[in-house]
Amino acid sequence: MSKDISIYALSTCIHCKNAKKYLDECGVEYNCVFVDKLEGDERKQTIEAVKKHNPAVSFPTIVIGDDVVVGFNKDKIDKALG
């Protein structure tokens, strides 16, 4: 069973790039949103969405099903992927 996976990232963040690379290596499909490339209401709405999962609004914030992984942590990502 595949889980919905979203990663909220910054385009200039090395930890975000490493998290994306790791998800690619795991062969899972995910939706990536570069929050720093958004503007206006879309950016505000996305930040509000990130706050629901991670009140500190730090990046990367990775939502895997019902689990949230903040930062690039392979062990936590593996556990969330199941």
Side-chain angles (χ1 to χ4, degrees):
M1 181 175 108
S2 65
K3 298 179 179 180
D4 288 334
I5 302 171
S6 295
I7 177 169
Y8 297 97
L10 299 176
S11 63
T12 58
C13 167
I14 188 67
H15 304 293
C16 301
K17 289 179 184 175
N18 288 335
K20 284 186 66 204
K21 182 178 176 186
Y22 186 68
L23 289 172
D24 288 340
E25 289 171 1
C26 290
V28 296
E29 292 186 21
Y30 58 90
N31 179 46
C32 179
V33 178
F34 286 115
V35 178
D36 59 325
K37 291 190 172 185
L38 301 176
E39 295 181 358
D41 287 342
E42 187 178 19
R43 184 176 183 147
K44 288 179 185 175
Q45 291 170 359
T46 301
I47 289 173
E48 288 304 313
V50 174
K51 280 184 184 177
K52 290 178 184 174
H53 301 291
N54 172 14
V57 191
S58 54
F59 300 97
T61 296
I62 306 165
V63 181
I64 302 172
D66 294 330
D67 296 312
V68 177
V69 178
V70 177
F72 175 48
N73 184 312
K74 288 182 181 180
D75 292 339
K76 289 182 180 178
I77 291 171
D78 286 343
K79 184 177 177 184
L81 289 174

